[in-house]
Amino acid sequence: MGRVPLATATLFNLRVFAVVVGATVLMLIALAHQSLRRPRQPPAAETGGQG
């Protein structure tokens, strides 16, 4: 079997790490965006039942 230079394996690992971190950040941004898009409705008891 051929030998794989350490630099090649390190570059591959760094790319995989970047993809995982990027995907995680995108998911967190999407979740934050969803929670900001939908305004929270106050409970009916706090508004006096009107509304």
Side-chain angles (χ1 to χ4, degrees):
M1 276 193 220
R3 296 183 62 180
V4 177
L6 179 62
T8 303
T10 303
L11 285 175
F12 176 77
N13 287 337
L14 286 174
R15 289 177 185 160
V16 170
F17 176 76
V19 168
V20 170
V21 169
T24 304
V25 168
L26 284 174
M27 284 188 274
L28 290 174
I29 289 172
L31 286 172
H33 182 68
Q34 280 291 68
S35 67
L36 291 176
R37 265 181 77 190
R38 190 178 313 148
R40 294 183 180 173
Q41 299 292 334
E46 290 182 9
T47 61
Q50 300 170 354

